[in-house]
Amino acid sequence: MPHEVIMPALGMAQETGLILAWRKAPGDAVKIGDVLMEVETDKAAMEVEAQAEGYLADIRAREGENVPVGNVIAVIADEPGAVAAREEATPADAPSDEQPPAQQDGNEVIMPALGMAQDTGLLVAWHKQPGDAVAADDVLLEVETDKSVMEVQAGHEGYVAELRAEAGENVPVGDVIAVISAEKPEVPVKRNTSKKKDAKPEQQVTPASPKNPETSRPAPKRAASQPPTGDRILASPKAKRLAAERGLDLARLATDGHRQPYHVADLDRLSAVPAQPSTATANAFDHVEARVDRSGYDAFRLWLAGESQIDDLAVWSAFAIATLRAAIQSESRRMVAQAHRPLRRQSVRFCDPDLSGLSAIEASQDDLAPDLILRDLTGSAVTKAHFGAPAVPAISISDSNGTFEIILEFPAGMLEPETALAIVHEMAARLEEPLRHLL
């Protein structure tokens, strides 16, 4: 039977996902684990893998389109040339001995995707019951996936009007599991989704026919690119990362008329786009500087080195990501630091380095776009270096006469002044007194 591909929830507060690019076209063979598409949410771009084997029969969302989480965006069929029939469920479709209670109105809570290969989530326990008052940051339920149990917050304020799953059920990612209403419901509802799913007839796979416009949707080999909304640039994670590393501005491709989304191959084209120097371009970034005594860090490093081997680049990446995470108040999102020693031509990527022990931080091989760039200029005569407008916040650390000099650079308008000052102040405080990070 056909497998429906839904827009995954890649973040707890995510409501929509922006499709950057399709990696497969209608008719292509698909295996489990193949990269099906690239999706951007909350300034992070991720590759989404296929969870079923077969043939891509139908693409229902185009590149550049924002799709609500849980919506069907593609269908994988068992045989080539087949298209999944779209069923419109009606109350008569599901036989029942009793009249089901009416669905409640309000904000829907879906089963989140807490892992990239997750199809379902095991609902371990409800922390709230129908009729209970709930705040947005209250824990609503516990979900187990891949041998880990996580608490899921309500995300909305109001009253639990409806629960559509029971503890112990495996619920598909994207399925609505609860409804939170603004007003206290007169008759709160508690359902069991398994009964509804058991009563649902199997979906049929019918051969595509040009005479049937409902089941035959001719599509181009690749969905046409859509212009982004506002100033957003559509690009693959690897293209964004390499552009940031090389100091290239992908917006120049858009200005030059090249269609989005952009991939690694477009970077050579970007290098050939003539620069247009101007006063506005030259000043298109802001920066904040600080200087602190380095004796506290040197003592801390000697103490830490006595326990195990350490890498300053990894430790500073942990400091920087922890500082950025606190400043922008993003505790749940995965964050990546792209760390460089330019004079040694070394570059390494760390994913969530602040969530590991300082002596246990390991380099990441994932092609995730960086959230922050860190440059180690210590041990050289260089004390300050401006590399133009970076695509993400960039922190450079140099040393001179027993002090660390810290420079934060970022695109003009990316950070509020208070946020930028907080990042530099906290980074300087961690370098001056590293135990601040551990505490």
PDB file of all heavy atoms in Angstrom, residues 86-111:
ATOM      1  N   ARG A  86      -6.437   9.662  -3.153  1.00  0.00           N
ATOM      2  CA  ARG A  86      -6.662  10.544  -2.023  1.00  0.00           C
ATOM      3  C   ARG A  86      -8.077  10.324  -1.508  1.00  0.00           C
ATOM      4  O   ARG A  86      -9.054  10.562  -2.212  1.00  0.00           O
ATOM      5  CB  ARG A  86      -6.483  12.006  -2.440  1.00  0.00           C
ATOM      6  CG  ARG A  86      -5.125  12.251  -3.037  1.00  0.00           C
ATOM      7  CD  ARG A  86      -4.968  13.693  -3.403  1.00  0.00           C
ATOM      8  NE  ARG A  86      -3.756  13.868  -4.181  1.00  0.00           N
ATOM      9  CZ  ARG A  86      -3.369  15.023  -4.672  1.00  0.00           C
ATOM     10  NH1 ARG A  86      -4.080  16.097  -4.462  1.00  0.00           N
ATOM     11  NH2 ARG A  86      -2.268  15.107  -5.387  1.00  0.00           N
ATOM     12  N   GLU A  87      -8.150   9.887  -0.290  1.00  0.00           N
ATOM     13  CA  GLU A  87      -9.436   9.607   0.301  1.00  0.00           C
ATOM     14  C   GLU A  87      -9.874  10.796   1.135  1.00  0.00           C
ATOM     15  O   GLU A  87      -9.072  11.420   1.829  1.00  0.00           O
ATOM     16  CB  GLU A  87      -9.355   8.375   1.200  1.00  0.00           C
ATOM     17  CG  GLU A  87      -8.967   7.127   0.454  1.00  0.00           C
ATOM     18  CD  GLU A  87      -8.881   5.939   1.394  1.00  0.00           C
ATOM     19  OE1 GLU A  87      -8.967   6.155   2.612  1.00  0.00           O
ATOM     20  OE2 GLU A  87      -8.749   4.827   0.903  1.00  0.00           O
ATOM     21  N   GLU A  88     -11.142  11.099   1.078  1.00  0.00           N
ATOM     22  CA  GLU A  88     -11.724  12.122   1.929  1.00  0.00           C
ATOM     23  C   GLU A  88     -12.619  11.424   2.933  1.00  0.00           C
ATOM     24  O   GLU A  88     -13.685  10.922   2.590  1.00  0.00           O
ATOM     25  CB  GLU A  88     -12.522  13.148   1.118  1.00  0.00           C
ATOM     26  CG  GLU A  88     -11.633  13.945   0.156  1.00  0.00           C
ATOM     27  CD  GLU A  88     -12.414  15.019  -0.542  1.00  0.00           C
ATOM     28  OE1 GLU A  88     -13.613  15.144  -0.250  1.00  0.00           O
ATOM     29  OE2 GLU A  88     -11.828  15.731  -1.370  1.00  0.00           O
ATOM     30  N   ALA A  89     -12.134  11.362   4.167  1.00  0.00           N
ATOM     31  CA  ALA A  89     -12.875  10.616   5.172  1.00  0.00           C
ATOM     32  C   ALA A  89     -14.155  11.346   5.543  1.00  0.00           C
ATOM     33  O   ALA A  89     -14.190  12.573   5.658  1.00  0.00           O
ATOM     34  CB  ALA A  89     -11.999  10.426   6.415  1.00  0.00           C
ATOM     35  N   THR A  90     -15.209  10.600   5.705  1.00  0.00           N
ATOM     36  CA  THR A  90     -16.485  11.111   6.182  1.00  0.00           C
ATOM     37  C   THR A  90     -16.909  10.254   7.346  1.00  0.00           C
ATOM     38  O   THR A  90     -16.395   9.147   7.539  1.00  0.00           O
ATOM     39  CB  THR A  90     -17.561  11.043   5.079  1.00  0.00           C
ATOM     40  OG1 THR A  90     -17.785   9.671   4.766  1.00  0.00           O
ATOM     41  CG2 THR A  90     -17.112  11.786   3.836  1.00  0.00           C
ATOM     42  N   PRO A  91     -17.840  10.724   8.165  1.00  0.00           N
ATOM     43  CA  PRO A  91     -18.272   9.909   9.292  1.00  0.00           C
ATOM     44  C   PRO A  91     -18.736   8.532   8.873  1.00  0.00           C
ATOM     45  O   PRO A  91     -18.650   7.584   9.631  1.00  0.00           O
ATOM     46  CB  PRO A  91     -19.398  10.744   9.904  1.00  0.00           C
ATOM     47  CG  PRO A  91     -19.056  12.157   9.545  1.00  0.00           C
ATOM     48  CD  PRO A  91     -18.443  12.056   8.172  1.00  0.00           C
ATOM     49  N   ALA A  92     -19.249   8.386   7.640  1.00  0.00           N
ATOM     50  CA  ALA A  92     -19.757   7.089   7.205  1.00  0.00           C
ATOM     51  C   ALA A  92     -18.633   6.125   6.868  1.00  0.00           C
ATOM     52  O   ALA A  92     -18.849   4.925   6.764  1.00  0.00           O
ATOM     53  CB  ALA A  92     -20.661   7.274   5.985  1.00  0.00           C
ATOM     54  N   ASP A  93     -17.400   6.645   6.688  1.00  0.00           N
ATOM     55  CA  ASP A  93     -16.290   5.771   6.323  1.00  0.00           C
ATOM     56  C   ASP A  93     -15.907   4.833   7.454  1.00  0.00           C
ATOM     57  O   ASP A  93     -15.346   3.780   7.228  1.00  0.00           O
ATOM     58  CB  ASP A  93     -15.067   6.610   5.926  1.00  0.00           C
ATOM     59  CG  ASP A  93     -15.300   7.324   4.620  1.00  0.00           C
ATOM     60  OD1 ASP A  93     -16.114   6.844   3.804  1.00  0.00           O
ATOM     61  OD2 ASP A  93     -14.661   8.360   4.418  1.00  0.00           O
ATOM     62  N   ALA A  94     -16.104   5.245   8.703  1.00  0.00           N
ATOM     63  CA  ALA A  94     -15.669   4.453   9.843  1.00  0.00           C
ATOM     64  C   ALA A  94     -16.880   3.917  10.584  1.00  0.00           C
ATOM     65  O   ALA A  94     -17.540   4.653  11.309  1.00  0.00           O
ATOM     66  CB  ALA A  94     -14.826   5.315  10.790  1.00  0.00           C
ATOM     67  N   PRO A  95     -17.217   2.643  10.381  1.00  0.00           N
ATOM     68  CA  PRO A  95     -18.373   2.086  11.056  1.00  0.00           C
ATOM     69  C   PRO A  95     -18.160   2.087  12.559  1.00  0.00           C
ATOM     70  O   PRO A  95     -17.088   1.815  13.063  1.00  0.00           O
ATOM     71  CB  PRO A  95     -18.436   0.651  10.507  1.00  0.00           C
ATOM     72  CG  PRO A  95     -17.060   0.355  10.043  1.00  0.00           C
ATOM     73  CD  PRO A  95     -16.511   1.641   9.563  1.00  0.00           C
ATOM     74  N   SER A  96     -19.212   2.418  13.273  1.00  0.00           N
ATOM     75  CA  SER A  96     -19.145   2.470  14.722  1.00  0.00           C
ATOM     76  C   SER A  96     -20.518   2.199  15.297  1.00  0.00           C
ATOM     77  O   SER A  96     -21.536   2.564  14.718  1.00  0.00           O
ATOM     78  CB  SER A  96     -18.629   3.849  15.165  1.00  0.00           C
ATOM     79  OG  SER A  96     -18.656   3.943  16.566  1.00  0.00           O
ATOM     80  N   ASP A  97     -20.528   1.537  16.449  1.00  0.00           N
ATOM     81  CA  ASP A  97     -21.797   1.226  17.102  1.00  0.00           C
ATOM     82  C   ASP A  97     -22.355   2.435  17.833  1.00  0.00           C
ATOM     83  O   ASP A  97     -23.515   2.463  18.214  1.00  0.00           O
ATOM     84  CB  ASP A  97     -21.603   0.068  18.094  1.00  0.00           C
ATOM     85  CG  ASP A  97     -21.221  -1.213  17.372  1.00  0.00           C
ATOM     86  OD1 ASP A  97     -21.615  -1.367  16.193  1.00  0.00           O
ATOM     87  OD2 ASP A  97     -20.542  -2.045  17.996  1.00  0.00           O
ATOM     88  N   GLU A  98     -21.505   3.435  18.065  1.00  0.00           N
ATOM     89  CA  GLU A  98     -21.987   4.609  18.776  1.00  0.00           C
ATOM     90  C   GLU A  98     -21.530   5.862  18.069  1.00  0.00           C
ATOM     91  O   GLU A  98     -20.546   5.874  17.357  1.00  0.00           O
ATOM     92  CB  GLU A  98     -21.465   4.609  20.217  1.00  0.00           C
ATOM     93  CG  GLU A  98     -19.943   4.594  20.306  1.00  0.00           C
ATOM     94  CD  GLU A  98     -19.468   4.536  21.730  1.00  0.00           C
ATOM     95  OE1 GLU A  98     -20.268   4.173  22.606  1.00  0.00           O
ATOM     96  OE2 GLU A  98     -18.301   4.865  21.970  1.00  0.00           O
ATOM     97  N   GLN A  99     -22.265   6.944  18.284  1.00  0.00           N
ATOM     98  CA  GLN A  99     -21.943   8.218  17.650  1.00  0.00           C
ATOM     99  C   GLN A  99     -20.714   8.816  18.316  1.00  0.00           C
ATOM    100  O   GLN A  99     -20.716   9.030  19.526  1.00  0.00           O
ATOM    101  CB  GLN A  99     -23.139   9.184  17.784  1.00  0.00           C
ATOM    102  CG  GLN A  99     -22.938  10.495  17.062  1.00  0.00           C
ATOM    103  CD  GLN A  99     -22.929  10.316  15.554  1.00  0.00           C
ATOM    104  OE1 GLN A  99     -23.473   9.343  15.046  1.00  0.00           O
ATOM    105  NE2 GLN A  99     -22.330  11.240  14.848  1.00  0.00           N
ATOM    106  N   PRO A 100     -19.626   9.080  17.578  1.00  0.00           N
ATOM    107  CA  PRO A 100     -18.433   9.634  18.209  1.00  0.00           C
ATOM    108  C   PRO A 100     -18.686  11.056  18.681  1.00  0.00           C
ATOM    109  O   PRO A 100     -19.475  11.790  18.080  1.00  0.00           O
ATOM    110  CB  PRO A 100     -17.397   9.606  17.077  1.00  0.00           C
ATOM    111  CG  PRO A 100     -18.198   9.654  15.826  1.00  0.00           C
ATOM    112  CD  PRO A 100     -19.465   8.901  16.127  1.00  0.00           C
ATOM    113  N   PRO A 101     -18.031  11.466  19.756  1.00  0.00           N
ATOM    114  CA  PRO A 101     -18.216  12.833  20.240  1.00  0.00           C
ATOM    115  C   PRO A 101     -17.673  13.836  19.248  1.00  0.00           C
ATOM    116  O   PRO A 101     -16.741  13.549  18.505  1.00  0.00           O
ATOM    117  CB  PRO A 101     -17.402  12.860  21.546  1.00  0.00           C
ATOM    118  CG  PRO A 101     -16.412  11.740  21.409  1.00  0.00           C
ATOM    119  CD  PRO A 101     -17.102  10.700  20.582  1.00  0.00           C
ATOM    120  N   ALA A 102     -18.262  15.002  19.230  1.00  0.00           N
ATOM    121  CA  ALA A 102     -17.847  16.050  18.295  1.00  0.00           C
ATOM    122  C   ALA A 102     -16.429  16.508  18.622  1.00  0.00           C
ATOM    123  O   ALA A 102     -16.035  16.567  19.785  1.00  0.00           O
ATOM    124  CB  ALA A 102     -18.810  17.235  18.367  1.00  0.00           C
ATOM    125  N   GLN A 103     -15.661  16.827  17.580  1.00  0.00           N
ATOM    126  CA  GLN A 103     -14.298  17.297  17.790  1.00  0.00           C
ATOM    127  C   GLN A 103     -14.320  18.702  18.377  1.00  0.00           C
ATOM    128  O   GLN A 103     -15.182  19.518  18.059  1.00  0.00           O
ATOM    129  CB  GLN A 103     -13.518  17.280  16.483  1.00  0.00           C
ATOM    130  CG  GLN A 103     -13.250  15.888  15.956  1.00  0.00           C
ATOM    131  CD  GLN A 103     -12.296  15.903  14.776  1.00  0.00           C
ATOM    132  OE1 GLN A 103     -11.947  16.967  14.291  1.00  0.00           O
ATOM    133  NE2 GLN A 103     -11.889  14.740  14.328  1.00  0.00           N
ATOM    134  N   GLN A 104     -13.355  18.963  19.246  1.00  0.00           N
ATOM    135  CA  GLN A 104     -13.268  20.249  19.920  1.00  0.00           C
ATOM    136  C   GLN A 104     -12.486  21.241  19.061  1.00  0.00           C
ATOM    137  O   GLN A 104     -11.605  20.860  18.287  1.00  0.00           O
ATOM    138  CB  GLN A 104     -12.577  20.074  21.276  1.00  0.00           C
ATOM    139  CG  GLN A 104     -13.271  19.083  22.203  1.00  0.00           C
ATOM    140  CD  GLN A 104     -14.594  19.595  22.703  1.00  0.00           C
ATOM    141  OE1 GLN A 104     -14.723  20.770  23.037  1.00  0.00           O
ATOM    142  NE2 GLN A 104     -15.594  18.732  22.764  1.00  0.00           N
ATOM    143  N   ASP A 105     -12.811  22.516  19.225  1.00  0.00           N
ATOM    144  CA  ASP A 105     -12.094  23.570  18.521  1.00  0.00           C
ATOM    145  C   ASP A 105     -10.959  24.085  19.396  1.00  0.00           C
ATOM    146  O   ASP A 105     -11.084  24.150  20.620  1.00  0.00           O
ATOM    147  CB  ASP A 105     -13.035  24.730  18.173  1.00  0.00           C
ATOM    148  CG  ASP A 105     -14.083  24.323  17.159  1.00  0.00           C
ATOM    149  OD1 ASP A 105     -13.770  23.470  16.300  1.00  0.00           O
ATOM    150  OD2 ASP A 105     -15.204  24.855  17.228  1.00  0.00           O
ATOM    151  N   GLY A 106      -9.858  24.477  18.775  1.00  0.00           N
ATOM    152  CA  GLY A 106      -8.729  25.032  19.511  1.00  0.00           C
ATOM    153  C   GLY A 106      -7.421  24.770  18.800  1.00  0.00           C
ATOM    154  O   GLY A 106      -7.384  24.394  17.625  1.00  0.00           O
ATOM    155  N   ASN A 107      -6.317  24.959  19.511  1.00  0.00           N
ATOM    156  CA  ASN A 107      -4.980  24.726  18.964  1.00  0.00           C
ATOM    157  C   ASN A 107      -4.649  23.246  19.029  1.00  0.00           C
ATOM    158  O   ASN A 107      -4.777  22.619  20.084  1.00  0.00           O
ATOM    159  CB  ASN A 107      -3.942  25.528  19.753  1.00  0.00           C
ATOM    160  CG  ASN A 107      -4.114  27.016  19.588  1.00  0.00           C
ATOM    161  OD1 ASN A 107      -4.078  27.531  18.481  1.00  0.00           O
ATOM    162  ND2 ASN A 107      -4.300  27.720  20.696  1.00  0.00           N
ATOM    163  N   GLU A 108      -4.221  22.681  17.898  1.00  0.00           N
ATOM    164  CA  GLU A 108      -3.923  21.262  17.837  1.00  0.00           C
ATOM    165  C   GLU A 108      -2.478  20.994  18.256  1.00  0.00           C
ATOM    166  O   GLU A 108      -1.560  21.727  17.901  1.00  0.00           O
ATOM    167  CB  GLU A 108      -4.143  20.730  16.418  1.00  0.00           C
ATOM    168  CG  GLU A 108      -5.602  20.798  15.976  1.00  0.00           C
ATOM    169  CD  GLU A 108      -5.807  20.257  14.575  1.00  0.00           C
ATOM    170  OE1 GLU A 108      -4.827  20.254  13.804  1.00  0.00           O
ATOM    171  OE2 GLU A 108      -6.932  19.832  14.260  1.00  0.00           O
ATOM    172  N   VAL A 109      -2.289  19.936  19.028  1.00  0.00           N
ATOM    173  CA  VAL A 109      -0.957  19.477  19.434  1.00  0.00           C
ATOM    174  C   VAL A 109      -0.678  18.187  18.678  1.00  0.00           C
ATOM    175  O   VAL A 109      -1.484  17.249  18.712  1.00  0.00           O
ATOM    176  CB  VAL A 109      -0.892  19.217  20.951  1.00  0.00           C
ATOM    177  CG1 VAL A 109       0.499  18.741  21.346  1.00  0.00           C
ATOM    178  CG2 VAL A 109      -1.266  20.470  21.726  1.00  0.00           C
ATOM    179  N   ILE A 110       0.447  18.133  17.961  1.00  0.00           N
ATOM    180  CA  ILE A 110       0.761  16.955  17.156  1.00  0.00           C
ATOM    181  C   ILE A 110       1.858  16.129  17.814  1.00  0.00           C
ATOM    182  O   ILE A 110       2.586  16.622  18.676  1.00  0.00           O
ATOM    183  CB  ILE A 110       1.202  17.343  15.725  1.00  0.00           C
ATOM    184  CG1 ILE A 110       2.533  18.094  15.766  1.00  0.00           C
ATOM    185  CG2 ILE A 110       0.137  18.145  15.012  1.00  0.00           C
ATOM    186  CD1 ILE A 110       3.171  18.272  14.410  1.00  0.00           C
ATOM    187  N   MET A 111       1.945  14.861  17.410  1.00  0.00           N
ATOM    188  CA  MET A 111       3.054  14.023  17.855  1.00  0.00           C
ATOM    189  C   MET A 111       4.330  14.544  17.204  1.00  0.00           C
ATOM    190  O   MET A 111       4.451  14.522  15.979  1.00  0.00           O
ATOM    191  CB  MET A 111       2.818  12.563  17.465  1.00  0.00           C
ATOM    192  CG  MET A 111       4.004  11.648  17.759  1.00  0.00           C
ATOM    193  SD  MET A 111       4.501  11.615  19.502  1.00  0.00           S
ATOM    194  CE  MET A 111       3.101  10.737  20.227  1.00  0.00           C
TER     195      MET A 111
END
